[in-house]
Amino acid sequence: MFSSGDGGETWKDVSPAVGPLYHHAFSLDPYVYVDELTSRVFTIDLYVACSELSYTDDEGANWITNPLNCGEPVNDHQTVF
């Protein structure tokens, strides 16, 4: 994920990460959603039979990521909202 604070003149990578490693390294079906009321940004990615969801309340400075949601091998489109 990238963010711009100057109308698109420059961009900064604000992807969910742990140290130097990015959580969402691969996705078969990426989604991004911004809640208009709270400005919370959600990103969810599909990995064959699992999905990984992260969200931020501070424009990507800090992320909260759930563990992989895995269950029966179902490869369908995940939905955030």
Side-chain angles (χ1 to χ4, degrees), residues 13-79:
D13 187 346
V14 295
S15 300
V18 172
L21 303 175
Y22 291 107
H23 272 275
H24 300 242
F26 173 77
S27 181
L28 296 172
D29 196 11
Y31 278 81
V32 175
Y33 175 81
V34 179
D35 184 316
E36 293 180 33
L37 296 176
T38 65
S39 296
R40 180 175 281 179
V41 178
F42 296 86
T43 180
I44 188 168
D45 291 299
L46 178 66
Y47 305 99
V48 184
C50 302
S51 293
E52 186 173 24
L53 173 79
S54 296
Y55 67 91
T56 179
D57 290 319
D58 55 12
E59 299 178 359
N62 298 287
W63 291 87
I64 296 175
T65 300
N66 75 331
L68 290 177
N69 291 318
C70 298
E72 295 297 318
V74 177
N75 195 358
D76 198 359
H77 302 286
Q78 72 281 17
T79 302

